[in-house]
């Protein structure tokens, strides 16, 4: 069998919007097949994964809280991916952002350094520190690429493992709560170092507002500014961009700073909003799932907002499926990867007419 | 350090390097054909899960290795369908493959966590294997180790001494010219991807059948990514893969020995050594190459036949 590709003359809006939806449906059907093969009821699994989390107030809040880091990171990644740069180490930048921002909360714990000017500055400073730390950590692969031509893909990924080990060491060692009975976790943050809650109960934290803000700002940058145009041009037509005099070195550094910074911000929001202390692991793979979010959202800010909610749903559904159906957590992971594949196939279908022909592959 | 201990250390370095050699040599062929498959980690870990399961059920490490290879090839075929068939971005498709692979391996291996089986036998030749120092190192390894060296030699020979190897390299350097010459660009790439998948799956099977020898979730621990880095490090030349893998194997093993010797350094720092060494190696290589890349010129670019 051979597959012939014929470029579509123009893009159509209906295809652009329809493709990710078809991809999602296809992934759900395939996921259902896997569930059925494992001897569980696919309809029950569908309900647990995709319907039940939407029915209750607390789980809707949980949805927003889980989508927050995904959207923040994916917005940053969309800058990189649009410029055809591959920062796949957002997970590491997330961890470093949470770690450095969280360090400030631990250093100022129990009113330390707060006697003169009070504690109002701590939370903003934590957010800034987390963002800066994430951006700086992303500078390692960016500068190595710009200066030495080292592939950013491999270096950014290697740094994920390094970041996780650093957090593991510090939260078990120097930053551990000395009165914590040797549990590998830091002190619980003071209230001044905690993101405020937006609703009743202790779930929906203010980080969600930051995620929505990031979406709006990114939408503005992409549609209304020269920088946004540069990012798109360097990705789509690098030669044309060079002729236009855009510096791809500067752009590489800029998009890595943006994506690292947003990943770092997501990290400190998770630590200061959701967890409230440092512990050896602070992320269930948000940095990698955000890659799927970015593609499912077709690298557009509002698309990413919706895609972030969809992937957040798989996390929450996955947690309840572990309890309700005894489906392992790996099911969620496999489904997320499957979804990315379906999205990519649907994406190819928007660009090419795909024809299957019998005969040898040439 | 007595010679006996040194021999033991060298032995462990070779066993630590073997999965890296097998996975990297497969990826090298894929990349020489112009395809960047970032799914090595995913194919490797599914190979580890399925390889262990097959070896456990059949009692035969050979069947385990074959099952691991088959698993890697199935995933690679999926990747080939996406990137060669549908001209999808190779980086994105490779990441998807890794995510699917990690999840799938957890599902497949769930029933085998905590089970153990014996590692496959090591070669024993009377007298030769008993030689001091070199005996075990040269004449006392398992079949995977010898197989990996045969594999590297075969790939080196294929790439530089055969017509098909020349065609594969031409396709990896300029697919449009190769297509104009009538070379089967897409078929060659698809087969190269399958070969890469088979190698990655076997490397994973080696980990769970011979190296540990048990299955645990996430056991590849980034080795697939290190194999990818090794291909760059080798400047896409087969024998340099062996050199690089031995260096990385050395870093891993020394790190383990340093942890055991408790030098007062935090264990996490030592665990980070292989990853940091990878970055350092890529840096040194780039400085040495002076921006003149040895990479196949069409690496990572999708090919759509002109009409």
């Amino acid at each position: 069998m051979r597959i012939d590709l014929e470029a579509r003359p123009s893009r159509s809006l209906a295809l652009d919007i329809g493709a990710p939806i078809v991809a999602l449906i296809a992934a759900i059907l395939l996921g259902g097949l896997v569930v059925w093969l494992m001897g569980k009821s696919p309809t029950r699994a569908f309900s647990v994964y995709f319907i039940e989390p939407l029915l209750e107030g607390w789980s809707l809040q949980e949805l927003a809280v889980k989508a927050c880091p995904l959207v923040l990171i994916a917005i940053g990644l969309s800058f990189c991916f649009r410029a055809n740069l591959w920062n796949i180490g957002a997970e590491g930048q997330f961890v470093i952002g949470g770690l450095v921002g969280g360090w400030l909360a631990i250093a100022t714990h129990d009113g330390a350094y707060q006697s003169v000017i009070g504690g109002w500055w701590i939370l903003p400073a934590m957010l800034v520190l987390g963002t800066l730390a994430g951006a700086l950590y992303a500078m390692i692969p960016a500068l190595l690429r710009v200066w030495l031509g080292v592939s950013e893909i491999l270096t950014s990924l290697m740094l994920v493992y390094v970041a996780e080990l650093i957090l593991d060491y510090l939260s078990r060692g120097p930053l551990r709560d000395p009165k914590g009975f040797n549990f590998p976790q830091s002190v619980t943050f003071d209230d001044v170092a905690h993101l405020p809650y937006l609703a009743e109960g202790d779930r929906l934290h203010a980080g969600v507002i930051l995620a929505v803000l990031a979406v709006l700002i990114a939408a503005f940058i992409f549609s209304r500014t020269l920088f946004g145009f540069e990012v798109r041009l360097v990705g789509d037509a690098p030669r044309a961009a060079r002729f236009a005099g855009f510096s791809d070195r500067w752009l590489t550094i800029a998009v890595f700073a943006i994506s690292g910074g947003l990943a770092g911000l997501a990290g400190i929001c998770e630590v200061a909003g959701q967890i409230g202390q440092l512990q050896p692991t602070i992320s269930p793979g948000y940095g990698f799932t955000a890659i799927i979010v970015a593609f499912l959202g077709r690298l557009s800010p509002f698309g990413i907002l919706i895609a972030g909610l969809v992937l957040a749903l798989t996390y929450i559904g996955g947690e309840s499926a572990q309890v309700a159906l005894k489906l392992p957590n790996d099911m969620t992971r496999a489904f997320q990867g499957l979804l990315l594949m379906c999205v990519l196939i649907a994406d190819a279908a928007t660009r090419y007419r795909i024809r299957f022909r019998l005969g040898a592959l040439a | 350090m007595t010679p006996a201990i040194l021999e033991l250390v060298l032995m462990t370095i070779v066993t630590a390097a073997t999965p890296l050699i097998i996975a990297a040599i497969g990826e090298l062929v894929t990349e020489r054909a112009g395809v960047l498959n970032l799914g090595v980690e995913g194919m490797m870990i599914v190979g580890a899960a399925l390889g262990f399961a097959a070896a456990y059920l059949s009692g035969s490490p050979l069947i385990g290795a074959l099952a691991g290879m088959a698993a890697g090839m199935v995933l690679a075929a999926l990747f080939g369908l996406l990137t060669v068939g549908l001209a999808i971005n190779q980086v994105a498709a490779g990441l998807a493959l890794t995510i699917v692979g990690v999840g799938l391996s957890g599902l497949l291996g769930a029933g085998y966590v905590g089970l153990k089986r014996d590692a496959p036998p090591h070669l024993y030749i009377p007298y030769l294997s008993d030689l001091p120092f070199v005996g075990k190192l040269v004449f006392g390894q398992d079949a995977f180790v010898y197989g990996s060296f045969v594999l590297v030699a075969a790939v080196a020979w294929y790439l530089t001494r055969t017509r098909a190897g020349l065609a594969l390299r031409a396709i990896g350097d300029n697919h449009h010219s190769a297509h104009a010459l009538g070379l089967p660009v897409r078929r060659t790439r698809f087969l190269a991807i399958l070969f890469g998948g088979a190698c990655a799956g076997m490397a994973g099977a080696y980990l769970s059948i011979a190296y540990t020898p048990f299955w645990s979730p996430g056991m590849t621990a980034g080795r697939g990514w290190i194999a990818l880095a090794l291909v760059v490090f080798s400047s896409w030349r087969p024998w340099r893969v062996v050199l690089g893998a031995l260096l990385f194997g050395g870093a891993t093993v020394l790190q383990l020995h340093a942890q055991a010797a408790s030098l007062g350094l935090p264990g996490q720092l030592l665990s980070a050594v292989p990853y940091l060494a990878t970055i350092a190696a890529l840096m040194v290589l780039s400085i040495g190459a002076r921006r003149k890349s040895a990479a196949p010129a069409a690496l990572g670019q999708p090919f759509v036949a002109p009409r």
Side-chain angles (χ1 to χ4, degrees):
Chain A
M1 188 189 73
R2 90 178 216 204
I3 302 168
D4 277 348
L5 300 178
E6 200 180 303
R8 288 183 194 275
S10 62
R11 303 187 70 108
S12 89
L13 188 66
L15 267 178
D16 270 355
I17 295 175
I21 297 172
V22 173
L24 183 60
I25 294 170
I28 289 174
L29 291 177
L30 281 170
L33 184 70
V34 175
V35 170
W36 181 70
L37 285 174
M38 293 173 71
K40 311 273 159 96
S41 153
T43 47
R44 177 92 183 87
F46 177 78
S47 154
V48 169
Y49 264 92
F50 295 100
I51 307 291
E52 280 166 27
L54 298 173
L55 298 181
E56 281 178 73
W58 69 265
S59 53
L60 281 175
Q61 289 192 21
E62 190 71 22
L63 189 70
V65 168
K66 285 265 187 329
C68 167
L70 293 175
V71 170
L72 276 174
I73 301 170
I75 288 285
L77 290 179
S78 71
F79 281 85
C80 278
F81 293 172
R82 280 204 185 195
N84 223 349
L85 289 164
W86 299 97
N87 175 13
I88 58 173
E91 179 83 359
Q93 293 138 24
F94 178 97
V95 166
I96 292 293
L99 172 64
V100 175
W103 162 82
L104 184 67
I106 296 165
T108 58
H109 178 63
D110 231 359
Y113 306 103
Q114 295 175 32
S115 52
V116 185
I117 49 170
W120 57 269
W121 56 276
I122 292 176
L123 187 65
M126 281 165 66
L127 295 177
V128 170
L129 264 184
T131 309
L132 283 179
L136 276 179
Y137 202 61
M139 280 304 99
I140 303 173
L143 292 176
L144 285 178
R145 184 191 155 95
V146 169
W147 285 338
L148 299 173
V150 178
S151 157
E152 79 280 13
I153 300 173
L154 294 171
T155 46
S156 61
L157 193 273
M158 288 293 141
L159 288 169
V160 173
Y161 293 98
V162 176
E164 284 173 345
L165 288 164
I166 294 174
L167 173 66
D168 189 85
Y169 166 64
L170 289 176
S171 59
R172 289 174 199 276
L175 296 180
R176 194 178 59 195
D177 180 4
K179 296 185 210 110
F181 306 102
N182 269 339
F183 277 112
Q185 55 196 28
S186 76
V187 291
T188 325
F189 295 172
D190 294 350
D191 281 347
V192 286
H194 214 291
L195 279 169
Y197 295 115
L198 300 177
E200 293 280 309
D202 50 0
R203 288 185 191 276
L204 193 66
H205 59 71
V208 175
I209 298 175
L210 294 175
V212 175
L213 265 181
V215 170
L216 295 176
I217 293 171
F220 177 77
I221 290 176
F222 277 128
S223 61
R224 294 273 181 275
T225 67
L226 182 64
F227 175 71
F229 175 68
E230 260 181 75
V231 172
R232 281 184 292 150
L233 190 64
V234 168
D236 291 342
R239 267 169 64 81
R242 232 165 282 143
F243 285 131
F246 295 152
S247 153
D248 53 355
R249 297 180 137 216
W250 184 82
L251 193 90
T252 303
I253 292 173
V255 293
F256 263 85
I258 292 171
S259 70
L262 284 174
L265 180 63
I268 184 59
C269 282
E270 184 72 7
V271 168
Q274 178 86 332
I275 306 174
Q277 61 185 174
L278 284 182
Q279 51 194 39
T281 319
I282 59 171
S283 166
Y286 285 137
F288 295 111
T289 309
I291 297 173
I292 306 171
V293 172
F295 278 108
L296 181 63
R298 300 191 67 93
L299 305 183
S300 90
F302 294 108
I304 286 172
L305 185 61
I306 297 166
L309 290 167
V310 171
L311 267 298
L313 196 57
T314 65
Y315 271 117
I316 300 169
E319 278 168 20
S320 32
Q322 271 179 290
V323 183
L325 289 162
K326 304 266 182 295
L327 276 174
N329 208 16
D330 297 300
M331 184 65 217
T332 309
R333 203 92 219 265
F335 175 77
Q336 291 176 347
L338 213 57
L339 176 60
L340 178 53
M341 283 197 177
C342 292
V343 169
L344 294 172
I345 293 172
D347 202 47
T350 64
R351 264 177 294 145
Y352 304 104
R353 262 192 201 97
I354 301 165
R355 301 223 159 110
F356 296 89
R357 292 210 168 91
L358 292 175
L361 184 71
Chain B
M1 219 182 244
T2 65
I5 293 178
L6 189 62
E7 182 184 14
L8 205 68
V9 171
L10 289 176
M11 280 288 282
T12 47
I13 289 177
V14 172
T15 41
T18 301
L20 297 177
I21 295 176
I22 300 174
I25 201 71
E27 176 67 13
L28 185 140
V29 171
T30 309
E31 292 194 13
R32 269 297 179 91
V35 182
L36 178 66
N37 185 353
L38 292 184
V40 180
E41 178 86 0
M43 300 186 293
M44 207 167 165
I45 197 156
V46 174
L50 220 62
F52 182 81
Y56 187 83
L57 293 176
S58 69
S60 150
L62 179 68
I63 290 178
L66 289 176
M69 278 171 74
M73 283 171 87
V74 169
L75 286 184
L78 191 61
F79 176 82
L81 187 72
L82 263 64
T83 56
V84 177
L86 300 176
I88 286 168
N89 182 307
Q90 293 169 10
V91 176
L95 288 172
L97 194 65
T98 289
I99 297 172
V100 169
V102 171
L104 201 60
S105 71
L107 294 179
L108 292 170
Y112 298 90
V113 177
L115 298 180
K116 268 199 147 175
R117 60 181 304 282
D118 291 332
H122 286 220
L123 182 70
Y124 182 78
I125 305 172
Y127 304 114
L128 279 179
S129 299
D130 298 324
L131 285 175
F133 196 62
V134 289
K136 278 222 169 86
L137 204 57
V138 181
F139 301 106
Q141 306 280 4
D142 61 33
F144 285 96
V145 175
Y146 297 115
S148 71
F149 279 86
V150 173
L151 194 64
V152 173
V155 165
W157 174 78
Y158 167 77
L159 283 176
T160 55
R161 294 275 181 274
T162 69
R163 218 182 154 75
L166 182 65
L168 180 126
R169 285 187 286 140
I171 286 164
D173 274 332
N174 189 332
H175 44 223
H176 288 301
S177 303
H179 179 71
L181 284 171
L183 294 175
V185 173
R186 297 208 286 173
R187 184 169 55 202
T188 308
R189 285 198 168 160
F190 193 78
L191 292 176
I193 291 168
L194 282 186
F195 179 77
C199 288
M202 172 138 79
Y206 171 79
L207 281 177
S208 60
I209 295 174
Y211 187 74
T212 38
F214 55 81
W215 157 256
S216 71
M219 68 182 297
T220 48
R223 282 190 183 84
W225 294 102
I226 290 178
L228 274 159
L230 271 177
V231 177
V232 181
F233 177 79
S234 73
S235 306
W236 290 267
R237 288 186 207 156
W239 285 109
R240 290 204 198 168
V241 165
V242 177
L243 181 74
L246 287 172
L247 284 175
F248 280 104
T252 315
V253 169
L254 288 182
Q255 173 263 116
L256 288 174
H257 281 277
Q259 294 208 10
S262 62
L263 301 172
L265 291 166
Q268 292 93 338
L269 179 71
L270 293 167
S271 300
V273 162
Y275 309 113
L276 292 171
T278 307
I279 296 174
L282 291 173
M283 283 171 64
V284 169
L285 187 89
S286 302
I287 295 169
R290 299 242 175 247
R291 295 201 148 267
K292 212 186 80 190
S293 174
L299 183 61
Q301 294 170 15
F303 173 70
V304 179
R307 34 183 59 247

